[in-house]
Amino acid sequence: QDGKAITTVVKISGIPWFDRMETGVNKFAEQNPEMDIRQVGPATADSAQQLQIVQDLVATGVDALAVVPMDPDILEGILGRAMDRGTIIVTHEADNQANTHADIEAFDNADYGAALNERLAQCMGGEGKWTTFVGSLGSRTHMQWVGAGEENAKKYPGMELVDPNNESFDDANGTYEKAKEILRKHPDIKGFQTSAGNDVLGVGRAIEEAGLAGKVCLVGTGLPNPSAAYLDSGAITAIGFWDPQKAGMAMNAVAKFMLEGKEITDGMDLGVEGYESVTVKPGAGKGLLIVGNGMVLADKDTYKDYLF
Amino acid sequence: MSAAGTSHNQAAANAGPGGGLSGLIAKRPEFVTLVLLMAICIAVTIANPAFLQPSTLIDIGRASVVTGLFALGVFVILAAGGIDVSFTAIAALTMYSITLLVQKYAPDLSIVVVFAIAIAGGVFLGVVNGFLVYTLRVPSLIVTIGTQYFFRGGLLAFIGTTWIMELPGEMATFGRLSLLEFETANGAIVSLPVYFLILPVVAVLTWWIMRRTLMGRAIFSLGGNPEVTARLGYNVKIVHLFVFGYAGALAGLAGIVHITANRLANPFDLVGTEISVIAAVVLGGARITGGTGSVIGTMLGVLLVVVVDNVLVMVGIPSTWQRVFVGAFILLAAAFFVTRQRKFKPAK
Amino acid sequence: MRNIHKRFGGVHALRGVDMSLQAGEVYHLLGENGCGKSTVIKIMAGAHPPSEGQIILDGEVHDELTPIQSLDFGIETVYQDLSLIPNLTVMENVALGEQLVEGHGRLLRTLDRARLKETATKALSQVGLNVTAELLSTIVSDLPLAIRQLVAIARAIACEARLVIMDEPTTSLTRREVENLIDVVSKLRSRNVAVLFVTHKLEECYRIGGHAIVFRDGQCVAQGPINNYSRTDLAELMTGRKISEKRYRTGAPSAETLMVLDRLEVPGRFRDVSFKLHKGEVLGITGLSDSGRNELALAIAGIKPAAGGSISVNGKPVRIHSASESIDAGIGYVPEDRLSEGLFLDKSIYQNEIALILRKLASKFGILDMKKGKEIARDISEKMRLNTADIELPVSALSGGNQQRVLIGRWLSIDPEILVLHGPTVGVDVGSKDAIYQTIQKMAEQGIGLVIVSDDLPELLQNCDRILVMSAGEIVADLNGAGANEDEIYQAMLGSVQEGAA
Amino acid sequence: MRTKDGHFTVLVALIVVLMTAGAIVSGGNYLSLFNLQSMAGQVPEIGLLAIGVMLAMSVGNGGIELSGIALANLSGVAAATLVAGHFSASSDPGMFSLFFILVALAVGLLGGLLNGLLIAYLKITAILCTLGTQMFFIGLAVVLSDGRSVRVGAPGPLYEIGNGFLFEIPISFLLFIAVAGLIGFVLRYTPFGLWLMLNGSNPKASEYAGFPQNKVIIATYTVSGVLSSLAGIIIAARTINVKWDYGTSYLLVAILIAVMAGVRPEGGYGRVVCVVLSAIALQMMSSMLNFMGLSNFVRDFAWGALLLGFLAIGRFRLTDFFSPQFRAVTASVQRPQARK
Ligand SMILES: Nc1ncnc2c1ncn2[C@@H]1O[C@H](COP(=O)(O)OP(=O)(O)OP(=O)(O)O)[C@@H](O)[C@H]1O
Ligand SMILES: Nc1ncnc2c1ncn2[C@@H]1O[C@H](COP(=O)(O)OP(=O)(O)OP(=O)(O)O)[C@@H](O)[C@H]1O
Ligand SMILES: [Mg+2]
Ligand SMILES: [Mg+2]
């Protein structure tokens, strides 16, 4: 497929998560030198800006778009029109996206939320007060994760959920303040399950400063590198994540297959680690839902295997 | 309406008409802020007695530092009749580029020198603001919207976007130095960090400049009537450069405090909080049209905003409702403020 | 000053002015509005650089002065707009300058607060104010205008001045305060300080004495001891034409009652004010600045509504709680301060003229009849004899006299039954005054009832049928305009003050 | 006023330059029908908000409107949640669209009215008031939608507003132009318009001239609120969904557009045409940067530079160049200080 262009549009550029994804996109570009592969994203976490970028990209006549939507619903209109124009659309973290040829998930969201919670329960000894953080109430995957976590916690009658679904806005400082407040309000709190990438940093700092590292459990989504210090001190019990680098490569790989007219089938190998044998189901719309096996849970002892 | 509503009523009751009191309020609007603040604290304590513990005070103090530094800068600019929305961008730009530089070239640099460089950087960017406001002669709101975009866009486009997780040398340790430390019943440690001291020191300095130096008088004078100020022999250009430079200096300082406290340098931080800082200053009794305000009032305004931000969970407001409450609070506080002020100001 | 020229864009405001001032002398700078008096002053004070020419101070030649240089030399100025800082205290306004000049404009120095107080106290008592701690710490914007003017004068004499310039310092002072000012001037003189007055009140100049400097069109046309010139001489020099001091009022009011005020009251300001205004009558109201006359005018205009009493127009009681209700009742009000209270400076003459009748110009769909509006505006411009026919010109581009005409003309648009003029000729020169007085008389002839609130006694005597004198919030005299004289009015104004105080 | 036509000319020139540059950069793609349509479809929402900002600035008293996008989102969210309970978007598209629009407009009207009342009667500074209502509106939208995005669906008429074309021009753009034209007309040819501008020019003189000042302020903010809800409707129609945090970056961009259009921030002057042109120019520039594949941070940087550049141009040369006489006069005229 000479000269075909795939552009990856992320939620926001410049943050570690998507910088890591960019390394994947670049790697894919190296593997496919004949294609025009790049990644862009809005300057602020604003779905309107992402919409505008997608719109302009469609206008430039790009062949395929790999999008990580801020808000899948907001993009439905333009993605639909792009598909009408013949643009290949691949999405990520948007299992409810109707207008897409394929949505790729690193794992099943419910499994992931349950796994995080299970790790938390294990640390808490199945007992005590716990609370949850989400990036924002509107973030679908975050709500799925904490929802699955709540469900999982029902297995442990001793676990009591208090003041759930605190919004962090992915801002470590704000999360820190909130976590302090919760520690004050519930001096006996035992666990935190968090969702957005920076939440573990804010909550971890609050726990560490209160001298509670190791006494209060914290399990949440996070990246190994930024969390390293807190994992070492015990302020963070464990982090869960999937590797955005691999996700980026997987999206581009699927887009390339589709540009080549190849079919994606259940159990197929996308040629990317964690996506060697993907589950393929019908998606929310006419497209496919491709689920990989990319979940990683890491703690003090294991995080060094994934330094990024 | 719990928090905001009660505070309103209570404050109204406390500040009820009374001879000496009314005069006091007319002269010292920050009194209203104080009453509001106390009313909220009382209301929150009633709603949840857990509010009354030393750690609350310390956490609020700690959370006030960055906002407070910003607010003092904004207050000085407001007093001179201007307004600034670029200070957060100045803070982000200085803190991030300095961290980069220190990390790369002088990881063992003393924190005092780091602060000095940050202040110098802030002064430079602030002076750019002041220069533009003075020479372009357009409202500073507009100029600083422009420089906000300019500084922040420049930072993210040309300097970098990656977070710096490992702060170099003393920058990493400074944030953890504590002034006092004690243990609560459940074994948690509460500590007041050393950087907290910066706020009172800067507040006193600002008070001194505004009240005890000719520059302070010139600043108020500029906010009162710029043409006359120029005619009376004050160098209006210098005053412009000074106020924006000073606010820039405080922003640079606040930026470093922010990262040492946070233990990571995130270039995306801070921008977006400017409006609530301005709200804090205005709630502290400074008029947005300039020429008024006090350091005490500004500090009380900051406390008010920080407290409201920090008690929502305490009072048990679910997260879906929190914004409604903060919004309603700002409106009620502002309305309360204006009506009080008007009532006690004799019709002229 | 040698051969000073000043150009503002296209305006050539000063065209080669030569003048010299000696220590210990009093000078009066006279001239029509816009002849360049204020501009000369601003050049001396360093507020504007001259476009050409030189300024020589003690033999030292300067091409231009900065404010600090000028202050340093000892040139102190009381500007026309007073130039006080509204949000600072009286003490700071008066005495800060001293410390500023001492540091040659350096701002980064601590205040000497003891000195501040000392200097302020001295200067304020010199201008005759009773200095209390409360006065010192009062914010200037809370003061009445007359006291502000005194504070401004105090500021000028607070430092060791060598030349004190006063640009129309007496516009809002009453006679008693003027006497005081004259005292201050003679004290200054005795300390070998030169004083330069700018004023339109010739009678004051004669009382103070000294030299006259007459400007016309940016040039100095005469210079010499003031007593060498008669009033008519001066007026002629200033305007370049003859102006007589006639009584303008020739007509007589009709017997028909137009407006009745009954026991009008604003607590603390005035009370029990009752009078009748006839059709075609010109009624003057005067009094000291704190006599309540200003508040009375504002109450009739609905801007600071009365709390008690009633107003009726044409026998029908009217409710006046806002400016628009007053307008609806057929009452027009020309405010005292035309720039800040009257005109929309950056808007066109057209928009300024139709501001009051927007509702009437609107069709039933709410759309303005622009053609009719422009006609009306053109008509008014003609009637008021504006010096431009272009009604799209922004009012800011007009001269002061023309601006005042635009403002008065605005009221013609509503055909008012009653027009309240508050200080109609404040700061207006002889030539423009003449035009305004003629307009007033013409309106009276058309049956409009006019109320002139003013402290310019000759103005009232020349124009009014009746003159009401207010004192301490009450009407204390009702004099016949044709028969009364200035002394009689002063008696009334002051006499009852003593009564009131007793 | 003819006197400020300088801005108009500059904006038109800028648009022409952008067209040319865009064509060169993209090899024609930029001027393709699809892209022109796409850009035209993006302008209305931000353009309407910018007109709202312009009105608030023009009425004076330190007027500004920070709650615009929050109110736009609130009207969308409120309409979507309320109407969905009564009509189905798919089976009853006509009624759904009608009521959606009505409810949204009503919410905008009420929100604007609230701003106006608070500012006019309680005398809360506009910046503080609209900041408070901004949070309040966002909060209400979060409460109504539980923080999630609410699906509106694609009911025919509504969908057409957001995505349809008339003579190859996006309907939303036509709507925007029509509304802008209407506002421009109102400002020029109705008492309200003149009151608004005159009040901004000198509030004290307006009081003395007996203007219904409070009503004018209330009406101004109400109109601004209605414009926000129109933006909300267009957003809902275009994105088929509404969410409380859509377009957070619009807050400053709307002000940027107004300033670039020469609206005077202290009040008294602003032209709707210029706001429209300025919104278009900004959109074109932003799209061009996307075409060039430049990072969005560069765009923010460029906007800052542009705004400052515009201010500098306005101050030093261009306006002189376009109407030298006027400048000479106004530069030295001091605006009257409202005496305290
Ligand atoms: N800043 C300025 N810019 C342009 N023209 C000016 C400016 N200041 C004054 N002028 C013009 O210069 C001329 C002289 O003005 P000036 O203020 O000195 O008059 P004046 O004699 O003091 O009048 P008045 O008696 O009204 O105070 C006038 O034509 C005036 O319009
Ligand atoms: N502030 C100003 N800036 C620029 N030009 C001005 C200014 N004020 C006045 N002018 C211009 O200067 C001209 C002369 O103004 P000036 O005040 O000298 O008029 P005038 O001859 O005194 O008339 P009048 O008797 O009506 O006051 C005005 O017509 C106007 O065009
Ligand atoms: Mg003058
Ligand atoms: Mg004149």
Side-chain angles (χ1 to χ4, degrees), chain B residues 8 334-344, chain D residues 121-122:
Chain B
H8 185 261
F336 171 67
F337 214 95
V338 194
T339 41
R340 286 293 114 180
Q341 259 184 335
R342 252 193 315 179
K343 225 178 234 161
F344 294 115
Chain D
Y121 285 115
L122 290 186

Side-chain angles (χ1 to χ4, degrees), chain C residues 182-422:
Chain C
I182 292 173
D183 260 8
V184 175
V185 170
S186 57
K187 267 189 228 147
L188 287 173
R189 227 165 142 177
S190 68
R191 294 206 316 243
N192 209 25
V193 176
V195 180
L196 177 65
F197 263 111
V198 177
T199 180
H200 292 290
K201 297 184 181 173
L202 291 183
E203 134 227 18
E204 279 167 12
C205 305
Y206 285 111
R207 290 180 28 155
I208 298 169
H211 295 263
I213 302 173
V214 185
F215 270 35
R216 186 165 75 222
D217 285 340
Q219 278 172 317
C220 186
V221 292
Q223 203 165 356
I226 189 150
N227 290 320
N228 293 357
Y229 303 97
S230 73
R231 281 171 178 240
T232 28
D233 289 343
L234 287 177
E236 207 177 320
L237 279 169
M238 289 192 286
T239 59
R241 64 199 137 105
K242 276 204 183 312
I243 305 262
S244 63
E245 270 194 42
K246 58 175 191 263
R247 180 168 152 88
Y248 287 83
R249 184 67 181 153
T250 48
S254 89
E256 216 174 315
T257 305
L258 183 57
M259 174 171 76
V260 180
L261 264 63
D262 188 34
R263 305 171 66 84
L264 215 60
E265 174 171 5
V266 168
R269 302 297 174 172
F270 62 85
R271 63 188 174 279
D272 233 1
V273 169
S274 310
F275 64 80
K276 282 185 186 153
L277 178 72
H278 295 270
K279 271 207 167 141
E281 183 175 36
V282 184
L283 178 69
I285 298 181
T286 187
L288 299 179
S289 56
D290 55 357
S291 64
R293 54 160 208 215
N294 297 335
E295 289 78 8
L296 176 62
L298 292 176
I300 299 175
I303 289 156
K304 300 213 176 109
S310 67
I311 301 178
S312 55
V313 175
N314 283 329
K316 274 179 272 165
V318 290
R319 195 189 105 108
I320 296 182
H321 282 144
S322 68
S324 65
E325 280 173 335
S326 161
I327 293 168
D328 289 344
I331 304 174
Y333 173 70
V334 180
E336 193 178 13
D337 181 344
R338 59 177 167 263
L339 288 189
S340 81
E341 298 171 347
L343 292 167
F344 305 100
L345 275 183
D346 53 336
K347 296 293 172 188
S348 62
I349 298 176
Y350 158 66
Q351 293 194 356
N352 270 280
E353 296 292 26
I354 62 164
L356 299 171
I357 48 165
L358 292 173
R359 236 186 283 238
K360 278 184 223 154
L361 281 177
S363 70
K364 61 175 181 288
F365 302 111
I367 292 163
L368 288 176
D369 185 346
M370 304 265 283
K371 228 173 103 197
K372 193 161 143 213
K374 291 200 169 153
E375 246 165 54
I376 293 176
R378 241 177 246 120
D379 192 44
I380 292 173
S381 307
E382 237 162 71
K383 271 196 199 141
M384 297 307 300
R385 284 185 277 151
L386 294 194
N387 64 3
T388 171
D390 183 359
I391 57 169
E392 294 293 342
L393 216 59
V395 168
S396 55
L398 295 179
S399 68
N402 276 299
Q403 289 179 348
Q404 179 76 329
R405 280 178 234 172
V406 169
L407 187 56
I408 296 178
R410 179 189 292 170
W411 292 99
L412 299 183
S413 67
I414 62 160
D415 283 330
E417 298 198 68
I418 299 147
L419 192 59
V420 181
L421 298 151
H422 200 161

Side-chain angles (χ1 to χ4, degrees), chain D residues 22-45:
Chain D
I24 294 168
V25 165
S26 73
N29 249 352
Y30 187 78
L31 293 183
S32 70
L33 182 63
F34 185 88
N35 188 47
L36 290 179
Q37 286 174 338
S38 142
M39 288 194 294
Q42 294 177 59
V43 172
E45 48 197 58

Side-chain angles (χ1 to χ4, degrees), chain C residues 8-13 32-36 217-218 241 338 385-388 393 395-405 427-429 431-433, chain D residues 325-334:
Chain C
F8 294 106
V11 182
H12 199 162
E32 287 198 274
N33 291 131
C35 65
D217 285 340
R241 64 199 137 105
R338 59 177 167 263
R385 284 185 277 151
L386 294 194
N387 64 3
T388 171
L393 216 59
V395 168
S396 55
L398 295 179
S399 68
N402 276 299
Q403 289 179 348
Q404 179 76 329
R405 280 178 234 172
V428 167
D429 64 62
S432 288
K433 264 186 185 171
Chain D
Q325 196 151 27
F326 180 77
R327 264 284 127 163
V329 176
T330 43
S332 51
V333 174
Q334 256 97 44

Side-chain angles (χ1 to χ4, degrees), chain A residues 46 52 55-56 71 73 138, chain D residues 42 147 149 241 243 249 286 290:
Chain A
D46 175 10
Q52 204 182 98
Q55 190 141 16
D56 289 337
D71 188 336
D73 290 337
Chain D
Q42 294 177 59
S149 74
N241 289 279
K243 182 145 181 261
S249 55
S286 151
N290 279 342

